[in-house]
Amino acid sequence: PVAIGACGGCAVVAQSYARIFFRNCSATGELYPWESVERLVEKFETGEEAVIDFEKRTVRKVSTGEEFQLNDLGDVQPVIDAGGIF
């Protein structure tokens, strides 16, 4: 998460994560690890722009306007909002 954050990333979206990656996101406060309800890798091309709506819990594909549902971040969101635990 630190390397992605250092490159300007603030969130990642995937259907699932390795436990250590997810915990490092919350511990460092670098990234919001959003989990998608459905598999999205076939829906996006490399370099396509997407916008995450934190309130609606959706990710929108800018080129088509198509929206995809994200799972709630739960208790990890306020930890990341606060900058992590370190």
Side-chain angles (χ1 to χ4, degrees):
V2 174
I4 296 170
C7 292
C10 62
V12 289
V13 177
Q15 197 169 19
S16 65
Y17 296 98
R19 182 181 193 98
I20 192 167
F21 182 83
F22 189 89
R23 292 188 70 190
N24 283 342
C25 286
S26 62
T28 63
E30 287 287 334
L31 298 173
Y32 291 91
W34 289 99
E35 291 182 349
S36 60
V37 173
E38 63 183 293
R39 183 175 164 89
L40 299 180
V41 70
E42 291 89 6
K43 310 273 185 188
F44 288 87
E45 297 290 327
T46 300
E48 277 192 285
E49 188 176 352
V51 176
I52 298 172
D53 186 321
F54 279 44
E55 290 181 20
K56 289 177 26 181
R57 293 191 325 259
T58 59
V59 59
R60 179 174 48 86
K61 186 175 180 178
V62 173
S63 63
T64 64
E66 192 174 5
E67 289 189 341
F68 305 95
Q69 191 64 44
L70 301 172
N71 291 326
D72 187 13
L73 285 171
D75 293 336
V76 77
Q77 186 167 354
V79 175
I80 298 170
D81 288 344
I85 58 173
F86 294 126

